[in-house]
Amino acid sequence: MTNKEIAKILFQIAEILELKNSSDRFRIVAYEKAAQIVENYPIEMKELYVREGVKSLVEVPGIGQSIAEKIEELLKTGKLKYLTEIEKDVPASQMKFIKVPGIGPKMAIKIATELKAKDIEDLEVKIKSGEADEIFKEKTRNNILRGIEISRKLTGRMLITDALPVAEDFVKRIKEIDGVKDANFVGSLRRMKETIGDIDIVAASSEPKKIINEYIAFPGIIHIVTQGEAKSTIIHRQGCQLDLEIVSEAEYGSLLQHFTGSKEHNVALRTYAQTKGMSVSEHGVKIGEKLHTFKTEKELYNFLGMDFIPPELRENRGEIAAALNHRLPVLVEVSDILGDLHVHSDWSDGNMSISEIALAAEKLNYEYIVISDHTVGLGIANGLDEKRLEERQKEIEIVQKDHPRIKILSSVEVNIKADGSLDIQDWMLEKLDIVTASVHTSFFQEKEVMTDRLIKAISNSHVDIIGHPSGRVIGQREPYLVNWERVFKACSEYKTVLEISSFPNRLDLQDYLCQQAKNLGVKFAINTDAHQAAHLQLMRYGVSVARRGWLEKKDIINTFKLEDLLRWVELREN
Ligand code: DGT
Ligand code: CA
Ligand code: CA
Ligand code: ZN
């Protein structure tokens, strides 16, 4: 059990005691304080406990004997009898009400006893129908309704595309506050993970309290969870939690590094440092009693004898050894991408005409763009048959004349049928510049059947790229079952490329699989699968997946110059 999890339970106890209208203010405050201390303590309680048991826990300022024993029980059993006990005579409804942002214990009691709401749905109905008008002021009623809305959204993780704009806006405004020297979003967002639990921001300033005061008045904040001297947690209107922490400029590099995570990376980093007699924390690096502080992360990593590790690699997947040996990859960047190999036009289910696509691609300074429509076998989406494919080809040739700066390539996203065959004739595929094949149907096959199916497509000499290879749709569909090692080996053998789809709810092939595939010699294409103009802008998210998968420019075929790309496609067909 982590400090964070323990703190959560201690906070919960304080809330329940308050719900029980406990007159023992002292006890409530003791739990709140202990929770805060545990939450921010630099050493895991777990680690302290193995030293000298409860005795080591009591040595933490703010933790007394009784709370130390509860932490012991949590560490040993993962449960706490005391919690079950005090929960028993608190109505379940009140427990639910305090989980809504903006509802504290006092209000929860009022909601249960005066308004007589049974659950959150009932509470919402009662407010909307006017039943609560006499009990709560209009402002309070609106806050409750908003809190309910937020708590519904807060249940899951957010897509990175939803979190990034909120974080960028907040960082920009924090930087504008007088006295702020620097600010950055950190955590999973800085590592560009596909989904984000909460947004973390750090800032450098010598007047943290003043900064916090201005910060909590920002528009967009609908609930302040905690407001400390140098830390604050708020809920944003978009339905996400945001943690801010402020330190001095001198410690900023260390805090940035700590808070960027991942936790697994930090643990590995600290463990390595310990073997060299150094102790790393968010404050700096201690050698003996001397604390070394760092303004930048680079100084910190260099101090530990490592190259700077890009945030996307900080997942404890070998980056520390690589940084020590100066063997980190030079990661691919958005500016390396010379074209998008997967764009749907209005010939199938896209809404851009071919000339609109060409224009948009020119604006992105691409060298080439690939029109890749669905084929007819899919039975949806106005798919192309052989005849319409020839008509589309004529249009491409006409549009090409008006756009000499960009090469428009002709492609389809052909459907891989359940048996691995394709839904369009080979002689037609032969006429195309490039071919992507994807699974769009029969997702629930057995692992080896699905694997054979993919390999049959991979070994087809006309298929250059496998589209969104795992088929997962974040929050909607699990990846299908695949023996990836066999698939990667086949891709390597037949020089068939795997797509990294930049589409926010796909981000497929997943980062860790990219890394495995690369190690088996597979190449990739980072595409947007755009169906409208705005989608063409999503390339940066696919690039992030590639970076998290350790991929370099040379691993990605759409960083190749046009002639090299065409040569690649041609060579692999022989
Ligand atoms: P998320 O929010 O679930 O998407 O993931 P993160 O990575 O943003 O995690 P979060 O918000 O819980 O914490 C932010 C960073 O703070 C995390 O990446 C590393 C650091 N951190 C948090 N808890 C611990 C911990 O218990 N030990 C260590 N060493 N670092 C931690
Ligand atoms: Ca986070
Ligand atoms: Ca956090
Ligand atoms: Zn597509």
Side-chain angles (χ1 to χ4, degrees), residues 176-190:
E176 283 164 5
I177 299 177
D178 227 20
V180 171
K181 301 280 188 251
D182 205 353
N184 239 300
F185 55 82
V186 283
S188 50
L189 194 52
R190 182 154 178 254

Side-chain angles (χ1 to χ4, degrees), residues 4 198 200 243 259:
K4 232 179 200 166
D198 70 349
D200 306 285
D243 287 348
F259 231 153

